[in-house]
Amino acid sequence: MPNNIEIIIGELFPQPATGSRVFASVYATQQVHGEMTVTDESGKARLKAPFELEMEGDALELDISDLPPGEYRVRIGILEEQWERRLRIEH
């Protein structure tokens, strides 16, 4: 990780998502920016959301109200690193 930045990405919650928003707990030792990308089962990007993350603990919020029920992957990109989490929507 550049500049000795430590980043820890938690799981998405709630799971399964039944409302209009999901969250990911994130910890970073410095302020960073990134992007969350939601892809469907075919790999098509359905939603992209840039974010700014403050130092220390924070929760990223993602509005999923326009996505139909189903299975998705959420990719969280910060600097050159990528994390992927599974998301199930049942609203």
Side-chain angles (χ1 to χ4, degrees):
M1 189 69 56
N3 301 323
N4 297 322
I5 299 173
E6 182 182 359
I7 298 172
I8 300 169
I9 307 290
E11 295 299 317
L12 293 174
F13 62 93
Q15 283 281 6
T18 57
S20 63
R21 300 190 186 289
V22 293
F23 303 87
S25 58
V26 180
Y27 171 85
T29 55
Q30 294 182 20
Q31 184 175 355
V32 294
H33 64 276
E35 182 175 73
M36 288 192 287
T37 304
V38 179
T39 57
D40 62 20
E41 290 179 306
S42 72
K44 179 181 178 185
R46 301 292 304 265
L47 177 66
K48 290 188 177 190
F51 62 84
E52 290 287 329
L53 179 64
E54 298 297 322
M55 278 179 42
E56 303 300 328
D58 204 353
L60 301 178
E61 180 178 345
L62 185 61
D63 182 350
I64 57 166
S65 59
D66 290 336
L67 295 176
E71 299 285 334
Y72 297 88
R73 294 201 179 267
V74 178
R75 189 170 35 252
I76 301 170
I78 301 174
L79 301 172
E80 295 90 27
E81 298 290 323
Q82 300 272 330
W83 293 265
E84 191 169 275
R85 300 291 186 260
R86 296 181 65 85
L87 171 63
R88 183 173 180 183
I89 299 176
E90 294 184 350
H91 59 193

